[in-house]
Amino acid sequence: MGPSHFSLLLILAGCWEALGAEHYSNSPVCNTTLSNGSFPWTHYRLPTSVVPEHYYIYIHPDLNTKTVTGYVQILIEALNDTSYIVLNGKNLTITGAFLKELSPNYQRKRLALHVLESVPTEQLAFISEIPLVAGRKYQLSVRFCATLSNSFSGVYRASYWTKNGISRMIAATHFEPTSARKAFPCFDEPNMKAVFSVVIVRDYNRKAISNMPKVSTRTRGDGLLEDHFCHSVRMSSYLVAFVVNDFSSNSTKSKTGTEVSIFAPRDQINQTRYALQAAVKILEFFEEYFQIPYPLPKIDLVAIPDFEAGAMENWGLITYRETSLLYDPHTSSPHSKLWVTLVTAHELAHQAKFENPYKSICSTLQKSYIV
């Protein structure tokens, strides 16, 4: 398959408009809310007084209880003096929120925060009794829980049937354009980019994949496993992704050493050969044509049984509708083969990084930021 067979398909970035808020609902999120408090922010867009630098996300999508529990620690910098931090959250129950300054000689313990929610604007406000000071960095720690979604956004359940008639369930994510806030509290606007470090809790009979390669797996006291992943490149929150699954996979490497893998239900893994071959050729073509190296050590392409879009260009973990990735040479039509090729070319075209090359692939989040 030569370069002339490929078309570069790009999506124009959507424009974010600043909208004025007319009415707010100041419903409390948890017991630490301010009594008689009013939501401190009056715009749909987030304030820029505080910006994120690095997220540490610990999350457990429990397919047995159909719940999501976890916590997120966000390294933030205050650009202006402020007594509150506003970020996005939707359909989350906040069970604890704390703030800690990260100045070298600062000995103050974690400060419990008051929490308010604005339901119409999908925002959470964390109120501090001690104001944040411009130029200083802080660690915002938030514990949360939610219900595993039945929709096709946020962290949701997807199911399929084996050839033996057994129902299987996986947990998948789809965060574009504004659904990362359904999975964990975050600054869910595309210009507020940050680095993401992800830890996923799972059962022993499933596996987890995310944007970056897995560093290690640890066994918890309750028998569940924790998969720790390399930290990501700096990216928007809607590109974070993970899938907890029992799939099989096929893998190979490109000329430049990038590991390319296709994940699909075990009974359909024989339908991934064409997509794997096409993905490697397309990736190599883009790197040569644009003279831009693919910045990550791996790229996974995953066939999701229940998926609303054709595919989604999560960095390092592209999720697909099954008909956009699977091809059976004995039963599929030529049009299906062309469609798999075009969708794969389209999604891989999103993967280029126009900043400095990614370095220190598996560096971990600075220990001083994790408590």
Side-chain angles (χ1 to χ4, degrees), residues 1 3-4 28 69 99 115 130 141 155 171 183 188 194 234 255 257 260 279 284 308 317 364 369:
M1 188 177 296
S4 60
T69 57
L99 187 69
V115 186
I130 301 176
S141 302
V155 185
D188 200 16
R234 187 169 172 267
K255 292 178 181 178
V260 182
E284 292 172 346
E308 188 173 33
L317 178 61
T364 56
Y369 299 151

Side-chain angles (χ1 to χ4, degrees), residues 53-54 73-77 99-110 132-133 135-141 365-371:
E53 292 188 1
H54 201 141
Q73 294 180 330
I74 312 175
L75 170 64
I76 58 176
E77 180 179 4
L99 187 69
K100 181 179 181 181
E101 186 174 339
L102 297 176
S103 299
N105 299 320
Y106 198 78
Q107 301 299 322
R108 186 182 298 275
K109 296 181 179 180
R110 293 190 307 171
L132 285 72
V133 179
R136 295 184 183 177
K137 295 186 179 183
Y138 300 82
Q139 177 185 277
L140 172 65
S141 302
L365 187 58
Q366 297 182 39
K367 297 299 182 182
S368 60
Y369 299 151
I370 300 300
V371 296

Side-chain angles (χ1 to χ4, degrees), residues 243-256:
V243 182
V244 179
N245 65 90
D246 59 357
F247 290 171
S248 297
S249 63
N250 281 327
S251 301
T252 189
K253 287 190 175 182
S254 69
K255 292 178 181 178
T256 56

Side-chain angles (χ1 to χ4, degrees), residues 149-200:
S149 176
N150 289 319
S151 68
F152 297 106
S153 63
V155 185
Y156 69 94
R157 292 176 288 157
S159 60
Y160 68 97
W161 295 86
T162 68
K163 63 181 180 181
N164 297 324
I166 300 174
S167 177
R168 301 285 192 185
M169 188 179 297
I170 69 169
T173 61
H174 186 85
F175 293 161
E176 188 186 41
T178 58
S179 290
R181 65 191 66 179
K182 297 179 181 179
F184 56 94
C186 58
F187 296 83
D188 200 16
E189 294 187 1
N191 63 316
M192 289 194 172
K193 295 178 173 61
V195 175
F196 293 83
S197 297
V198 178
V199 176
I200 300 173

